[in-house]
Amino acid sequence: MQTHMSREIGEIPEAAARLLDRSAASLAAAGQALRDKDPAFLITIARGSSDHAAHFIKYAVELQAGRPVASLGPSLASIYKTNLKLAGGAAIAISQSGKSPDIVSMAQAATDAGAVTIALTNTLPSPMASACSHALDICAGPELAVAATKSYVNSVVAGLAVLAEWTNDDELRRAVAELPGHLQRAVGLEWDELALALAGAESLYMLGRGPALAIAGEAALKFKETSEVHAEAYSAAEVLHGPVALVSSNFPVITFAARDAAEGSVTDIADSLADKGGLVFATSDKVKKARPLPFVATGHPLTDALALILPFYGFVEAWSRSRGFNPDAPAALKKVTETR
């Protein structure tokens, strides 16, 4: 029987195309607002998978727009009632439901402080959308599985589309427009070798750099959510500063490498961990000792990194079922988490 999660993973390419079609005017308007504001900095407001989408957008903005981006804890507004000085900046708030009280409070505080605020949500209208100066429908459609997949991808796609408009970057515009086709190819990839190798795994590392580090964070969360496996995400550089001590015989490591400036350093580190005896996989054909995983090269470093999550989603959904879990309904979790 097909799970909701499996079906929703398969819907990702169509959902991305729907977003780019139906929300085109709103994406352009948000990009224009950022161009008019010319913010000195940008903050992100999110939790869970949405925060991993925000982490991806952080790297994309810093790389493309040269503006520093920081993730602010929503409790600054909801619990601590801090008056933040944000008049010179912009904010992106991300929430599928758009109604978690602390996210709404922080978004409203950013708007009140003078920031240009953009809501990325799968629910319009919603309290978060009302709290922001621009509300974008990510058009993911109904998502029944507790583990977010298509809403995560569409949040990133929306962020990249806004970024392309903000920076007036035709190359990124083309890459985003072509993304649904690349995602369709990526969703068909299988990581069967990884599934066999991780049969008895109880703990593993996820590595990446730049936008691919955000992908590693999202992948680690999905391992915990769907399979109750302890997975930790690290920068491929940071892992050498302490965490590498755990990498010994057959310790599993999944390395997310995009076709970008960091690929060489990431694959070198993956090979060095394989040399230590680690069971290391990497989404690159440049590795010499680590085991390569299938990937889709999109022709742009940002969309290339995003496409890496699709074959992982397919893998972890199947692997969860193989371990006797229901990936649609992880224990002790619910679809909408309303924190204060």
Side-chain angles (χ1 to χ4, degrees):
M1 180 178 176
Q2 187 182 40
T3 63
H4 291 309
M5 184 177 179
S6 175
R7 185 177 64 255
E8 288 161 7
I9 294 166
E11 292 172 357
I12 289 174
E14 178 185 354
R18 182 169 57 243
L19 161 65
L20 297 175
D21 177 39
R22 295 184 184 176
S23 293
S26 298
L27 294 167
Q32 182 64 54
L34 290 172
R35 198 178 316 134
D36 293 343
K37 177 77 170 185
D38 192 24
F41 61 88
L42 190 143
I43 65 166
T44 62
I45 307 163
R47 292 199 187 278
S49 281
S50 293
D51 197 37
H52 294 138
H55 196 193
F56 191 107
I57 293 169
K58 161 192 164 66
Y59 276 110
V61 169
E62 290 173 343
L63 289 167
Q64 295 288 120
R67 305 303 202 282
V69 182
S71 172
L72 294 193
S75 60
L76 287 172
S78 63
I79 300 294
Y80 296 105
K81 312 298 182 184
T82 305
N83 292 318
L84 296 167
K85 295 175 174 59
L86 303 175
I92 294 180
I94 308 176
S95 168
Q96 178 181 327
S97 69
K99 64 181 184 180
S100 186
D102 56 351
I103 302 295
V104 175
S105 293
M106 190 68 233
Q108 187 65 62
T111 300
D112 293 345
V116 169
T117 51
I118 299 170
L120 305 183
T121 181
N122 203 32
T123 309
L124 287 180
S126 63
M128 185 185 75
S130 298
C132 293
S133 46
H134 295 269
L136 303 181
D137 186 350
I138 65 170
C139 299
E143 192 172 57
L144 301 179
V146 170
T149 54
K150 59 181 180 172
S151 61
Y152 168 83
V153 172
N154 267 26
S155 295
V156 176
V157 174
L160 292 179
V162 170
L163 176 59
E165 296 300 322
W166 171 16
T167 57
N168 202 24
D169 187 320
D170 286 336
E171 184 179 355
L172 183 55
R173 279 196 188 101
R174 283 193 298 271
V176 171
E178 295 169 356
L179 191 49
H182 292 304
L183 297 179
Q184 189 64 60
R185 292 169 52 212
V187 81
L189 297 180
E190 295 185 354
W191 287 4
D192 293 342
E193 184 181 358
L194 178 60
L196 292 173
L198 296 187
E202 296 298 333
S203 184
L204 66 157
Y205 285 163
M206 306 286 195
L207 306 183
R209 293 192 82 169
L213 175 56
I215 297 297
E218 167 65 2
L221 176 63
K222 288 298 181 285
F223 255 111
K224 296 169 187 172
E225 283 182 331
T226 66
S227 305
E228 298 183 11
V229 170
H230 177 242
E232 293 297 329
Y234 287 101
S235 160
E238 189 67 26
V239 75
L240 300 179
H241 295 265
V244 68
L246 296 183
V247 180
S248 57
S249 178
N250 292 324
F251 187 92
V253 179
I254 301 175
T255 308
F256 292 92
R259 274 24 68 196
D260 66 6
E263 183 179 12
S265 68
V266 169
T267 54
D268 285 348
I269 291 168
D271 283 335
S272 73
L273 295 178
D275 248 349
K276 286 177 57 64
L279 187 60
V280 185
F281 293 82
T283 58
S284 174
D285 55 13
K286 292 187 176 182
V287 289
K288 297 179 176 62
K289 297 181 179 179
R291 306 182 193 185
L293 290 169
F295 61 88
V296 169
T298 68
H300 192 285
L302 293 177
T303 55
D304 190 288
L306 179 57
L308 297 177
I309 198 62
L310 273 80
F312 172 80
Y313 278 160
F315 153 74
V316 81
E317 185 276 338
W319 199 62
S320 172
R321 287 187 288 104
S322 75
R323 290 170 60 91
F325 294 103
N326 176 6
D328 286 342
L333 297 178
K334 57 184 180 178
K335 186 63 179 172
V336 178
T337 301
E338 297 189 20
T339 49
R340 296 187 181 274

